[in-house]
Amino acid sequence: MNKKHPLYQEDLQNILSVKGLERLEGKNILITGATGLIGVQMIDALMMHGNINIYAVGRDKKKAAERLGEYFDKPNFTFIEQDVCNAFDDSLKVNYIIPCASNTHPLAYSQYPVETMMINIKGAEHALNLAARCKATVLYPSTVEVYGNAQGNDVFTEDYTGKLNLSTSRSCYTESKRSAEALCQSYIAERGVDVRIVRLSRIFGPTMLMSDSKASSQFIKKAIANEDIILKSAGNQFFSYTYVTDAVAAMLHIMINGESGQAYNISNDDCNVHLKDFAGICAEYNGKSVIFDLPSESEAKGYSIATQAILDNKKLIENDFKPTYKFKNAVERTITILRDEKS
């Protein structure tokens, strides 16, 4: 991805307008999942700020060099090559921890359900242990999927409990995220750790990995390639989406201005759309069509069976944060940033 693209630079500046960001100046922030969709843009924005020390954690230094290599020689950037299932070094001293490392796409759930669970649970445990030792604040990125499946047309508020399905390995992601949230609350109660939780809707944006098998990522990749959009269902699923820049800005806002022990939904009312409409905007970008195609058995195992997952973001807005990107604009700028790199 071309990080110098004017639209991407504009996104980073928008993140740096977060209320209270000056409180992070001179602080040490550790981010796991540093090469992922959220991790890359968060690090890009904080490095643009210039007076924040970043500790980026990833399993593969070569991959990290491809995504974050421009920072490797910067004095305020440290890359730590480490699996989050292992404990952090005792010498590490940080002020904030954001454990973003997670398998977050259907093929990973299908092929690596055990690893998916361990990354979430052990990753949270080691982040919380580090926080307890350093007296650091943890911002824990959870997910809309902790709510289970909606009952009818219910909208998910932070106290909602939906119908759960534990009969398939697809629950590896949902249940490990629920367990990690419970672990956060346990560390707050027993060890006095400061933890704020954000429950993210479905995130998309130009920092996506090309290996991402989520439906939205597949639509975007087809649009970049100037091809028809393949939809693996009728597309009637109704979900909350959030552009990655709004998600990163909201996460930092809650890390700085949120309340310990509280969970905050991260969503954008303008980005509550049906899957077929997401596909339609991607197809429209190039004057292409949407083609309906059934998934393979392997793909289907990783897919969510949810037909509706809408996050109520009233609590976030009451905390003085408002998302800024309209859905169509966010999709089009994602495609434009990624397409222009290939042109």
Side-chain angles (χ1 to χ4, degrees):
M1 189 195 75
N2 177 16
K3 295 185 180 183
K4 299 299 183 183
H5 196 289
L7 292 178
Y8 190 70
Q9 290 293 303
E10 182 179 273
D11 289 345
L12 299 183
Q13 290 292 348
N14 287 340
I15 293 170
L16 294 180
S17 68
V18 164
K19 177 184 175 184
L21 194 72
E22 66 276 1
R23 288 183 235 165
L24 301 183
E25 291 184 8
K27 302 298 185 183
N28 298 337
I29 302 178
L30 182 139
I31 300 169
T32 73
T35 61
L37 169 68
I38 290 172
V40 166
Q41 189 168 75
M42 183 173 286
I43 290 169
D44 285 342
L46 295 176
M47 288 300 293
M48 176 181 276
H49 179 281
N51 191 24
I52 298 170
N53 301 310
I54 301 299
Y55 291 81
V57 181
R59 287 184 292 184
D60 187 338
K61 189 171 184 179
K62 182 178 178 182
K63 180 180 177 181
E66 294 171 356
R67 301 274 276 173
L68 299 166
E70 66 267 39
Y71 306 127
F72 275 31
D73 293 331
K74 301 288 186 182
N76 62 326
F77 181 87
T78 302
F79 179 73
I80 301 172
E81 189 172 26
Q82 177 175 326
D83 190 319
V84 296
C85 292
N86 299 323
F88 292 106
D89 192 275
D90 287 343
S91 65
L92 197 55
K93 305 293 182 186
V94 297
N95 306 106
Y96 294 92
I97 303 164
I98 309 174
C100 290
S102 183
N103 286 339
T104 58
H105 61 101
L107 278 179
Y109 308 151
S110 172
Q111 296 173 355
Y112 307 109
V114 173
E115 290 82 355
T116 295
M117 292 197 75
M118 291 300 101
I119 289 169
N120 287 339
I121 295 172
K122 299 297 289 185
E125 177 193 11
H126 293 311
L128 291 162
N129 282 336
L130 177 61
R133 180 164 55 76
C134 295
K135 301 196 180 304
T137 293
V138 175
L139 178 75
Y140 186 72
S142 189
T143 171
V144 57
E145 297 209 28
V146 299
Y147 293 113
N149 298 321
Q151 306 298 299
N153 293 320
D154 288 351
V155 173
F156 298 150
T157 57
E158 283 82 358
D159 59 356
Y160 187 88
T161 302
K163 182 179 179 182
L164 303 175
N165 179 13
L166 303 179
S167 62
T168 72
S169 63
R170 174 60 175 76
S171 65
C172 64
Y173 180 70
T174 303
E175 292 307 304
S176 56
K177 280 294 190 180
R178 287 169 61 90
S179 295
E181 278 205 33
L183 196 60
C184 288
Q185 296 293 352
S186 298
Y187 270 75
I188 292 169
E190 185 176 328
R191 303 185 185 177
V193 177
D194 180 5
V195 186
R196 297 100 194 272
I197 297 167
V198 287
R199 293 175 181 154
L200 299 164
S201 62
R202 289 163 167 82
I203 310 300
F204 68 95
T207 48
M208 59 179 267
L209 290 162
M210 290 300 129
S211 59
D212 194 330
S213 62
K214 290 195 293 290
S216 58
S217 299
Q218 298 302 310
F219 301 160
I220 291 165
K221 284 191 282 187
K222 289 291 185 180
I224 295 166
N226 197 25
E227 298 176 1
D228 290 331
I229 306 302
I230 308 300
L231 189 54
K232 299 272 186 177
S233 69
N236 294 321
Q237 301 94 319
F238 189 39
F239 296 146
S240 289
Y241 293 90
T242 306
Y243 185 53
V244 64
T245 302
D246 270 336
V248 169
M251 290 171 70
L252 292 174
H253 177 90
I254 292 302
M255 187 173 81
I256 297 165
N257 304 295
E259 183 180 341
S260 185
Q262 293 295 305
Y264 299 82
N265 287 340
I266 305 298
S267 66
N268 180 348
D269 289 345
D270 191 75
C271 297
N272 295 338
V273 299
H274 290 92
L275 194 63
K276 60 186 175 184
D277 295 327
F278 198 135
I281 289 174
C282 290
E284 181 185 317
Y285 185 91
N286 292 310
K288 297 295 183 178
S289 301
V290 176
I291 297 173
F292 296 86
D293 183 36
L294 292 177
S296 69
E297 183 178 346
S298 177
E299 288 175 311
K301 285 181 179 178
Y303 287 176
S304 171
I305 62 171
T307 57
Q308 176 167 315
I310 300 298
L311 284 176
D312 182 307
N313 66 0
K314 181 180 178 182
K315 188 173 179 181
L316 176 68
I317 290 172
E318 288 178 346
N319 195 266
D320 201 23
F321 181 89
K322 186 176 181 181
T324 59
Y325 290 84
K326 298 293 186 182
F327 182 69
K328 185 176 182 181
N329 173 254
V331 173
E332 289 179 346
R333 71 195 289 128
T334 297
I335 298 168
T336 299
I337 292 168
L338 292 171
R339 182 208 61 188
D340 286 355
E341 182 180 24
K342 294 182 176 296
S343 60

